[in-house]
Amino acid sequence: MTQFRQDETPQPKSFARTLALKRFVARAVLIAEQVLPCALVPASIALLFLSAAWLGLFRIAPLWLHAVLLLGFLVAFIASLIPLTRLRLPGNVDADRMLEERNDLPHQAIRVQDDMPATGGAFGEALWREHQTRMARTIRALDTGLPRPDIARHDPFALRALPVLIACVAFAYSYSNRAGLLSDVFHLPQAASEVADIRVDAWVTPPAYTGRAPVFLTGRQGVASPSDETAAITIPQFSDLTVRVTGAGTEETVRYAEDGAAEPIIIPTAGEKHDEKTASAEPAVQKAPDNAVRNHAYKIVKGGELSVGDQRWTFKITPDSVPQIAFDGLPKPTPNASLDIAFLATDDYGIAQAWAEIKPLDEPVKDARPLYPLPEYRLDLPRRNAREAKGTTSRNLSEHPLAGKRVRVTLVARDAAGQEGRSVPQDMILPARQFFNPLAGSVAEQRQVFALNANDLLRAIDLNDAITSFAEETIPNLTHFLLLKSARSRMALAHNEDMLRDAAKHLWEIALGIEDGDLSLADRRLRDAQQALSDALERNAPDEEIAKLMKELREAMQEYMQALAKEAAKNPRLAANPDQNNVLRPQDLEKMMNQIENLARSGARDQARQMLSELQRLMNNLQANRGQQQMGEQNNAMREQMDKLGQLMQEQQRLMDETFKLDQAQRDRMQRGDPLQGEDNELYGQEMPQDPGQRGDEDGEPNPLDDMTAEQLKDALKQLKQQQDALGKQLSELRKGLESLGIKPGKGFGDAKREMEGASGSLGKGQGEPAVGSQGRALQALREGAQDMMNQMQAQGQGPGQGIPQYGQNGRDPLGRRQQNAGPDFGDQVKVPDEIDTQRAREILDEIRRRLGNTLSPEAERQYLERLLDMR
């Protein structure tokens, strides 16, 4: 057997440190393998102790049980620590053995570093050092690995998982509703009679129109300090707060302290009356019955703090702003006495309703008794609860007794919270139906007299007697006479407001019948059907009701069109006008009503209401044609003057084009070496740039002007002077005609007259270029004068929107078709879509010619513009 002895020669420091570190880690692993099996029982007892605290066992347990449980857990935990006292600390030998075994080191590679052979000799020592060196190389790659306590051998049934699972469940239960806390262990339990088994659930529901989700408060703590606004719960104004308290025990008091309030508000349970006088008083302590559920509801208007027992939440309010609404232009009457109101409205969450408030400006007579309330004018919103709304609404209020009176119109917008915003009021005369039959107008006046003040009934009866006194002269129709007598009897026998309203309605129907016969009654039925359908779409009526109202609308529309056809047959002027059939066709109306019905059935109620509004405006424009025929000779004279002005502008345009062509032909002569003589050389200059091009017109055909000499072209320009003088005379006659109709010619006509005289002088000298410039300026001045004339005609009730029908914007009806017989084209209207490309090209050519007529344009620019016109 070989003898070994301890080597007194020290090992290298780096190797010694590495070996010491690995031995230290190995000893720690050996200690952990001994401690972990012994720690199973103490850890399980600690987890069971935490579970009991989180489940609220220490909170609800009586004093004696609280003490027993606490003492039991303490004794059990101390007893489970006894096996740890019997642990043996491992030494270096144990560490070396563990490292050699786990790393499969042969020949005791670690322990051999501390040994030496017992025998000496140089060869033996060298051999032994070589052996140590080889073993040292394997030590540097040693791995201690993780502890292997083999817990499954000590706990074969895996009971160690139960305390962990119970602790996880208890922790989740505790922090969901704060059922129990670890601090309950160190607090004395309450008496059994005061222990409350109560669950508190609190949440905030924002208003539906905000589109915000509810905020659940239970489980989240609010702001502890009111000054900490960054952690406050932000909610919309007018949110509903709900606190539900469930269980038995001392009833929790729910308080809400608004910012700036002296005392908090005690929120009562649902069904309990809230007394403001005792709101801040401390309530008596009451005990809730077993399994009782108490709901506390409160609408939050201002920010503040909610407290339920020891729980608190602080709220920050996002205010709900008041909606804004304004007129988009002045309210305008239509030819059929409807009132068009364009509006703009905005709100942060959406506009629920909008209407126009109409009140009389004149002070009512003392003790007056009006039979009808103020007129209602609901604005049609493009979309329900739209944040921004822009639209135009048309309503016929001519049947209301206030029609024809001075009124003040104020727009009002209301949001879903009930807040109202008002516009700046506008004063106007409420549009009234114009009666061209004097008898119909007098009957309508009778009705208006006592409808505005029932105390004036006797005066209305006197007016009726005055009309019927000379019936053979004033009432040629016997039926009308009998109807007036029956109306007089109704007024005389009326003894309450309902009978008076019935008499007023009867008088209005008599007036409409005298004026238009069945047409007015059909018009009224059509407007009632449209209004009923609009109201049904507004309130989201069922499909059955919508279908019924659509049927009534179709019948009323058919009846109205038949009455309109009969009226046209009786009116020679209307029947002789074939263009009226192009304004509106029955199939177009049927198409629109089909679209309204389809949109309503598909759920697009907002789009259906918008199209119904377009249908109402379309019918208003259709009725304007009848009003135009009844305007008399005054309107015909106006139209005649407008036609003359349109023809004058067309002739001026044609003359300018012809002058421009002759002027360009003169330039071509100069380029080919045939310049004009005398003063023309000074006009056109001595040097002209050469730009070769093709001769001929735009289609490639020979141009007759190319064969004319310079003198012939000059004579042709002089001949145009007579045409220009004739246009000047026509303009003077037009100005006189307008003055006779009460229209004052504007500055534009005066400027046009001066420019025409200047063009005539240039043409007399054979100078085309200055003549073209003067003609262009004259044409522009004529357009300005035409616009001024139209404005004056409109102010007199003869222009667009009055005597001359306008079908929607830019002379087009809501169906997108071009207006018929709308007067001459002054060049300021948008043309129909199928002509827009041609019109754009024409505008470009006009602009090029205008620039060519400018004598101050550079020569390079003139050459470029001429090449664009293919004239060089």
Side-chain angles (χ1 to χ4, degrees), residues 30-322:
L30 291 175
I31 293 174
E33 290 179 351
Q34 298 182 56
V35 170
L36 288 177
C38 298
L40 283 178
V41 177
S44 299
I45 294 175
L47 290 176
L48 291 176
F49 172 75
L50 293 175
S51 301
W54 287 336
L55 291 173
L57 184 59
F58 290 100
R59 179 179 295 183
I60 64 174
L63 182 59
W64 66 269
L65 183 58
H66 186 280
V68 170
L69 288 175
L70 186 59
L71 182 60
F73 277 112
L74 182 60
V75 172
F77 184 77
I78 294 175
S80 64
L81 296 177
I82 295 177
L84 295 175
T85 61
R86 297 194 293 267
L87 296 179
R88 184 180 64 86
L89 296 178
N92 288 339
V93 176
D94 298 327
D96 295 343
R97 186 181 297 108
M98 188 269 286
L99 288 173
E100 291 173 352
E101 291 177 356
R102 292 195 176 183
N103 291 276
D104 297 329
L105 295 179
H107 310 298
Q108 297 179 351
I110 299 176
R111 285 174 287 178
V112 77
Q113 303 299 325
D114 298 330
D115 293 340
M116 284 295 291
T119 59
F123 177 76
E125 290 180 359
L127 183 62
W128 183 254
R129 283 194 297 269
E130 181 64 24
H131 176 65
Q132 285 182 322
T133 302
R134 291 182 179 181
M135 294 297 100
R137 294 193 190 101
T138 62
I139 294 176
R140 297 183 183 275
L142 294 179
D143 183 16
T144 58
L146 298 176
R148 300 174 184 176
D150 194 12
I151 295 178
R153 182 171 60 84
H154 297 83
D155 184 17
F157 298 103
L159 297 178
R160 59 188 179 277
L162 292 179
V164 177
L165 181 60
I166 294 173
C168 293
V169 174
F171 178 81
Y173 175 74
S174 170
Y175 279 83
S176 64
N177 57 2
R178 305 176 67 86
L181 298 174
L182 188 60
S183 59
D184 296 339
V185 178
F186 308 102
H187 291 84
L188 293 177
Q190 299 176 353
S193 58
E194 298 179 357
V195 175
D197 185 13
I198 292 178
R199 176 184 177 89
V200 177
D201 294 315
W203 65 91
V204 175
T205 304
Y209 58 82
T210 62
R212 298 273 298 272
V215 180
F216 196 68
L217 303 177
T218 304
R220 60 181 295 178
Q221 187 69 12
V223 178
S225 174
S227 61
D228 189 5
E229 298 182 357
T230 58
I233 303 173
T234 303
I235 58 175
Q237 193 176 18
F238 306 117
S239 297
D240 293 325
L241 170 65
T242 304
V243 180
R244 178 176 296 170
V245 182
T246 308
T250 303
E251 186 171 356
E252 297 284 356
T253 302
V254 181
R255 295 181 177 87
Y256 186 80
E258 293 184 347
D259 294 339
E263 296 291 340
I265 299 173
I266 297 178
I267 304 175
T269 58
E272 181 181 346
K273 294 184 179 180
H274 178 61
D275 189 0
E276 294 291 344
K277 296 181 179 179
T278 60
S280 60
E282 287 293 335
V285 178
Q286 299 179 359
K287 184 177 180 180
D290 294 343
N291 299 325
V293 178
R294 285 88 65 196
N295 291 323
H296 303 260
Y298 181 73
K299 186 176 290 293
I300 301 178
V301 180
K302 297 178 61 178
E305 183 181 70
L306 170 68
S307 60
V308 184
D310 58 347
Q311 303 182 61
R312 284 175 171 77
W313 299 271
T314 302
F315 301 103
K316 183 180 179 182
I317 298 300
T318 301
D320 189 350
S321 61
V322 177

Side-chain angles (χ1 to χ4, degrees), residues 745-785:
K747 179 177 177 294
F749 288 148
D751 295 341
K753 180 65 175 177
R754 288 192 297 271
E755 294 295 339
M756 286 182 177
E757 293 175 353
S760 177
S762 299
L763 290 174
K765 298 178 182 179
Q767 300 174 356
E769 182 177 4
V772 171
S774 298
Q775 290 170 344
R777 290 188 292 272
L779 191 60
Q780 181 62 29
L782 287 175
R783 292 194 180 99
E784 296 175 357

Side-chain angles (χ1 to χ4, degrees), residues 324-590:
Q324 304 290 328
I325 189 168
F327 288 95
D328 189 11
L330 296 177
K332 297 182 297 183
T334 62
N336 68 329
S338 295
L339 178 61
D340 282 358
I341 296 180
F343 63 94
L344 295 169
T346 58
D347 187 64
D348 48 0
Y349 291 114
I351 301 171
Q353 292 177 331
W355 68 90
E357 185 181 83
I358 303 176
K359 293 183 178 180
L361 276 177
D362 300 333
E363 289 291 335
V365 181
K366 185 179 180 181
D367 299 331
R369 292 190 301 127
L371 296 179
Y372 295 91
L374 295 176
E376 297 180 358
Y377 194 105
R378 190 187 70 252
L379 299 177
D380 295 330
L381 299 176
R383 298 189 311 276
R384 189 172 282 105
N385 293 328
R387 295 189 176 184
E388 295 184 0
K390 179 181 180 181
T392 302
T393 303
S394 180
R395 294 278 186 271
N396 194 314
L397 303 177
S398 60
E399 189 173 347
H400 197 276
L402 280 178
K405 302 293 183 180
R406 296 175 65 249
V407 296
R408 175 162 293 170
V409 183
T410 306
L411 301 184
V412 184
R414 177 184 294 169
D415 59 10
Q419 301 181 112
E420 293 184 359
R422 307 175 72 85
S423 69
V424 177
Q426 294 286 349
D427 296 344
M428 65 174 299
I429 296 177
L430 192 64
R433 180 186 175 90
Q434 187 176 4
F435 290 95
F436 296 94
N437 189 308
L439 179 60
S442 62
V443 174
E445 183 182 359
Q446 297 176 37
R447 176 243 187 192
Q448 187 181 43
V449 166
F450 74 93
L452 291 176
N453 187 3
N455 298 329
D456 293 337
L457 178 62
L458 295 179
R459 180 169 174 265
I461 295 176
D462 292 340
L463 291 175
N464 187 282
D465 293 338
I467 294 173
T468 57
S469 297
F470 301 94
E472 63 278 0
E473 297 180 3
T474 58
I475 310 177
N477 193 316
L478 179 60
T479 303
H480 297 164
F481 174 77
L482 296 176
L483 288 173
L484 288 175
K485 283 297 184 180
S486 66
R488 201 258 187 210
S489 300
R490 291 193 182 191
M491 289 188 290
L493 297 176
H495 58 270
N496 56 38
E497 292 187 357
D498 291 336
M499 298 182 69
L500 287 174
R501 279 189 287 268
D502 182 70
K505 179 181 179 181
H506 186 53
L507 280 172
W508 183 254
E509 293 176 352
I510 293 174
L512 295 180
I514 295 174
E515 178 70 19
D516 291 329
D518 296 337
L519 182 60
S520 294
L521 300 178
D523 180 21
R524 182 179 180 182
R525 182 186 175 189
L526 177 60
R527 285 191 284 108
D528 293 342
Q530 291 173 342
Q531 186 63 39
L533 180 59
S534 179
D535 294 340
L537 293 174
E538 178 71 22
R539 67 173 187 273
N540 283 326
D543 294 340
E544 294 78 7
E545 183 178 354
I546 296 295
K548 179 181 177 181
L549 293 176
M550 282 298 306
K551 181 180 179 182
E552 294 178 359
L553 178 60
R554 294 177 189 275
E555 294 175 354
M557 182 69 71
Q558 184 178 3
E559 180 182 349
Y560 177 78
M561 297 302 293
Q562 292 175 356
L564 188 63
K566 293 180 181 179
E567 183 71 15
K570 296 178 183 179
N571 192 332
R573 292 180 180 176
L574 192 61
N577 188 358
D579 292 334
Q580 296 295 333
N581 296 328
N582 296 328
V583 174
L584 190 63
R585 298 176 300 175
Q587 51 266 38
D588 296 327
L589 292 174
E590 184 66 23

Side-chain angles (χ1 to χ4, degrees), residues 805-819:
Q806 298 295 312
Y807 304 99
Q809 297 180 352
N810 299 324
R812 305 181 66 81
D813 63 13
L815 294 176
R817 298 168 305 177
R818 185 177 178 180
Q819 167 186 336

